[in-house]
Amino acid sequence: MVDDAQLASYAASYAEEGFVLVKGLLDKAEAAQYREESHALIKRLNRDADPTWGSARALAMGNQTELKHCHDVQFYAAAFARLIIDPRFTDVAAAVMGTPNVQLHHTKLFIKPPEKGSPFPLHQDHPFFPHAKHSMGAAIFHFDDAPLAKGCVRVVPGSHKNGPLAHASEGSFHLPFSEWPLEKSVPCEAEAGDVLFFTYLTVHGSGVNTTDQARTTLLVQYRDPEDPPTTDMHTNSLGQGMILRGVDPTCRSEASP
């Protein structure tokens, strides 16, 4: 388990930079098992749908790229249900938000295939599911190594302090390429077992996977249960509202008649 001093350090980095990369939250053997589980799930689902954003095509410079993905993975394999309530994860999520309670918003598995794994332009997650108190954050679990050549996540440190930014909506929400080129961001290269935490106001994106190996990650979006959404966008996630740590203080029993 992570001690209080380390949790405080993570929280300080998250508050100042808008992100923190937690090294070795999972050990290498665990990461390898989750990688195997992830690829087996994608194979079982046998879906042709490609979630590559239309706005990402410009980053690929005309080359054809693709993604493999699955929402709500905890409903397809028990291993992922165990992972999202693992205290090693939820304790960090609670620490960076500054609340004892952690509520699930959604999960999403991403596999960037070898040599053509799709990029993401720089953006904030805020436009997809705005919340009143901006507690919403993301944790990206790395199930294999994610160097720059694999299209690792890239962030703009301190960008969360700008608050919500105006996004273009064509081809999915993204920031203007002229003002926010991918090269303006900092690569967050990671190893298998590392977890990247960032706020939904942190500007981030990723490049193309140009290597001969897949890049496998699990995205978990979390929030403070006392932070209500301000719109009804992105409400179709099957597990939304599940308490991963602590309690939901907003739940009140109704008085008997």
Side-chain angles (χ1 to χ4, degrees):
M1 302 297 291
V2 181
D3 61 33
D4 290 344
Q6 189 63 69
L7 288 173
S9 175
Y10 293 152
S13 295
Y14 190 90
E16 179 62 26
E17 301 292 340
F19 73 98
V20 62
L21 180 64
V22 177
K23 300 293 294 181
L25 190 142
L26 303 178
D27 65 36
K28 301 298 184 184
E30 289 177 298
Q33 290 172 350
Y34 281 115
R35 184 186 193 280
E36 183 178 350
E37 192 78 53
S38 299
H39 285 254
L41 172 56
I42 292 299
K43 184 176 181 180
R44 288 198 305 274
L45 292 175
N46 191 30
R47 293 174 178 168
D48 295 328
D50 184 345
T52 299
W53 293 358
S55 57
R57 300 302 181 190
L59 297 180
M61 295 185 294
N63 296 318
Q64 185 65 35
T65 63
E66 66 179 45
L67 285 173
K68 304 292 185 182
H69 85 304
C70 174
H71 284 265
D72 305 316
V73 291
Q74 69 275 18
F75 286 88
Y76 296 96
F80 297 115
R82 291 190 292 270
L83 180 59
I84 63 175
I85 61 170
D86 190 314
R88 291 174 296 177
F89 157 59
T90 60
D91 285 355
V92 177
V96 298
M97 284 195 297
T99 171
N101 307 308
V102 179
Q103 188 175 52
L104 178 66
H105 190 267
H106 70 277
T107 65
K108 189 185 299 182
L109 175 67
F110 281 117
I111 297 177
K112 287 192 178 188
E115 301 176 353
K116 57 181 179 180
S118 296
F120 284 89
L122 291 182
H123 65 283
Q124 296 174 318
D125 288 339
H126 170 268
F128 295 95
F129 29 77
H131 280 62
K133 300 178 182 178
H134 302 318
S135 71
M136 178 75 72
I140 295 181
F141 288 80
H142 295 84
F143 297 148
D144 43 33
D145 293 346
L148 181 60
K150 269 193 176 184
C152 67
V153 179
R154 304 174 67 109
V155 300
V156 179
S159 54
H160 65 303
K161 295 179 180 179
N162 296 321
L165 299 171
H167 286 60
S169 59
E170 298 81 9
S172 196
F173 291 114
H174 64 282
L175 292 166
F177 293 119
S178 59
E179 300 175 42
W180 296 91
L182 195 63
E183 296 73 23
K184 189 176 180 178
S185 58
V186 176
C188 289
E189 296 183 289
E191 298 177 289
D194 295 349
V195 182
L196 176 65
F197 292 80
F198 56 92
T199 84
Y200 85 155
L201 293 175
T202 300
V203 174
H204 64 287
S206 65
V208 178
N209 179 10
T210 61
T211 73
D212 60 359
Q213 297 180 339
R215 196 208 75 173
T216 313
T217 57
L218 175 66
L219 170 70
V220 182
Q221 299 271 182
Y222 55 85
R223 66 187 175 198
D224 178 350
E226 294 187 279
D227 185 6
T230 59
T231 73
D232 62 357
M233 297 168 62
H234 212 288
T235 56
N236 59 346
S237 297
L238 298 178
Q240 189 171 149
M242 176 183 177
I243 295 298
L244 307 180
R245 183 185 192 272
V247 300
D248 182 354
T250 69
C251 290
R252 299 287 186 271
S253 61
E254 296 183 3
S256 301

